[in-house]
Amino acid sequence: AAPQGPPVYVDLAYLPGSWSARTVDEEFFRRIRSLCYVVSGDDHLKEGVLRPLLDALLTGKHQWGLDIQVTLIPTFDSLVMHEWYQETHERQQELGITVLGSNSTVAMQDETFPACKVEF
C-alpha cells in the first residue's frame, strides 16, 4: 500500500492498459484527480478488467467532495463500456462525469481512426 498523502490534481491522466489496468482501483481515483481520464487499450485483456476500473472511477470520484467536472475518454468501442454507461448514467450525472464519444475520424498515412480533440 502506498503511503497516505494529499490527492494529486492533473489535467489529463492515461489509465493503464492490459494487465496493468488491474492496479487501477478506487484508491487510484481518490488520489489521482484528473479533469480527463483516457481509457486506452483495445485488447481482450482490458475487457476483463474494464468494468471494475469504471466502477472504481464512480466510487473514487464520490469521495472527492468537490464539484469538479470529469471527462472520460475511451479510445475504443467496447460492449462493457456501453453497458456500464447505460447502467450508471444517472450516477455519472450526479458525480459530474461525462463520457466523451466521438464520431470524428482522422486520416493519416492511408489509415483512418476515430479521434477527439480535448482543449484546456
Side-chain angles (χ1 to χ4, degrees), residues 58-94:
L58 296 176
T59 305
K61 173 74 166 68
H62 175 75
Q63 296 175 27
W64 291 12
L66 302 170
D67 189 22
I68 298 174
Q69 183 67 35
V70 168
T71 302
L72 183 66
I73 306 169
T75 63
F76 59 98
D77 197 23
S78 161
L79 179 59
V80 172
M81 177 70 76
H82 286 277
E83 290 173 351
W84 176 82
Y85 180 83
Q86 293 297 323
E87 293 170 11
T88 65
H89 187 68
E90 249 181 65
R91 185 81 172 126
Q92 294 167 42
Q93 289 180 318
E94 290 170 7

Side-chain angles (χ1 to χ4, degrees), residues 14-104:
Y14 281 85
L15 301 177
S18 296
W19 290 107
S20 297
R22 294 179 300 163
T23 64
V24 179
D25 57 10
E26 70 181 66
E27 180 67 11
F28 173 89
F29 290 107
R30 187 191 68 72
R31 296 182 68 177
I32 308 298
R33 299 180 182 187
S34 182
L35 295 176
C36 296
Y37 291 102
V38 177
V39 183
S40 61
D42 184 11
D43 61 47
H44 68 283
L45 298 175
K46 186 74 165 232
E47 284 291 313
V49 295
L50 186 57
R51 181 63 190 241
L53 183 147
L54 296 170
D55 288 339
L57 169 62
L58 296 176
T59 305
K61 173 74 166 68
H62 175 75
Q63 296 175 27
W64 291 12
L66 302 170
D67 189 22
I68 298 174
Q69 183 67 35
V70 168
T71 302
L72 183 66
I73 306 169
T75 63
F76 59 98
D77 197 23
S78 161
L79 179 59
V80 172
M81 177 70 76
H82 286 277
E83 290 173 351
W84 176 82
Y85 180 83
Q86 293 297 323
E87 293 170 11
T88 65
H89 187 68
E90 249 181 65
R91 185 81 172 126
Q92 294 167 42
Q93 289 180 318
E94 290 170 7
L95 293 171
I97 297 172
T98 301
V99 178
L100 186 64
S102 176
N103 293 329
S104 300

